[in-house]
Amino acid sequence: MSIALGCDHGGYGLKLEVIKYLEAQGIAYKDFGSNSLDSCDYPEYGRAAAEAVASGECETGIVICTTGIGISITANKVKGIRCALCSDTVSARLTKEHNDANMLALGAGIVGTNLALGIVDTFLHTEFSGEEKHCRRITKIAAIEDELLN
Ligand SMILES: O=C(CO)[C@H](O)[C@H](O)COP(=O)(O)O
């Protein structure tokens, strides 16, 4: 498993904690920046991480900004991306089981480090249920992308 990481200045500190967690778990990652606390624009980094997931270069992605909102909106603009903004572990589990989310967004100003790492751990260790109804709904999301976005 290889994880695409992306953040802005607001998510940089939490990204370092996520990297520590991934390294402790022996999980590979590719960091698409940003790499400092200097003010920057989250769409650049959210897009880079999302494109790595959409292309298959990385299996999944974790993106972080202050609220998690802007970078999740950005990631979800990339075709094939289902990026879930989670602030609790129940949502992290259910978005894998039901939505087969392929990216997780976190708000560094919303969740503390321990909760954020619990969300990451849950997200990475939960599988899609594969239930027919969930497959059908995900297929409908893809059909909307095909029909409306180009
Ligand atoms: O959460 C975010 C987007 O949803 C950004 O991290 C936030 O807007 C950055 O703001 P500022 O430039 O004032 O630090």
Side-chain angles (χ1 to χ4, degrees):
M1 165 157 52
S2 177
I3 313 290
L5 298 177
C7 72
D8 71 353
H9 54 286
Y12 178 64
L14 180 55
K15 185 177 73 174
L16 296 182
E17 297 296 332
V18 170
I19 286 173
K20 272 193 230 165
Y21 161 88
L22 294 174
E23 289 180 347
Q25 296 278 318
I27 298 172
Y29 63 89
K30 185 161 184 191
D31 188 356
F32 291 87
S34 76
N35 285 307
S36 80
L37 292 171
D38 295 344
S39 182
C40 64
D41 298 334
Y42 59 80
E44 294 180 22
Y45 307 99
R47 175 182 178 169
E51 285 185 332
V53 175
S55 72
E57 179 184 353
C58 294
E59 187 176 312
T60 189
I62 301 173
V63 287
I64 313 170
C65 62
T66 304
T67 61
I69 297 169
I71 207 156
S72 62
I73 291 171
T74 304
N76 279 312
K77 297 294 181 196
V78 176
K79 193 171 181 181
I81 293 301
R82 293 180 300 281
C83 180
L85 171 58
C86 295
S87 300
D88 63 90
T89 56
V90 175
S91 299
R93 176 173 61 80
L94 289 175
T95 197
K96 287 299 286 287
E97 290 179 353
H98 289 210
N99 315 125
D100 196 19
N102 51 13
M103 292 187 73
L104 170 69
L106 295 167
I110 307 298
V111 291
T113 301
N114 287 344
L115 175 55
L117 296 180
I119 291 167
V120 168
D121 188 70
T122 300
F123 186 83
L124 295 181
H125 292 101
T126 304
E127 299 293 327
F128 177 48
S129 71
E131 270 188 76
E132 191 278 333
K133 64 183 180 183
H134 296 311
C135 292
R136 183 179 69 240
R137 292 161 188 164
I138 291 166
T139 300
K140 288 186 177 183
I141 294 173
I144 292 169
E145 281 183 333
D146 286 340
E147 186 183 334
L148 301 183
L149 307 179
N150 252 319

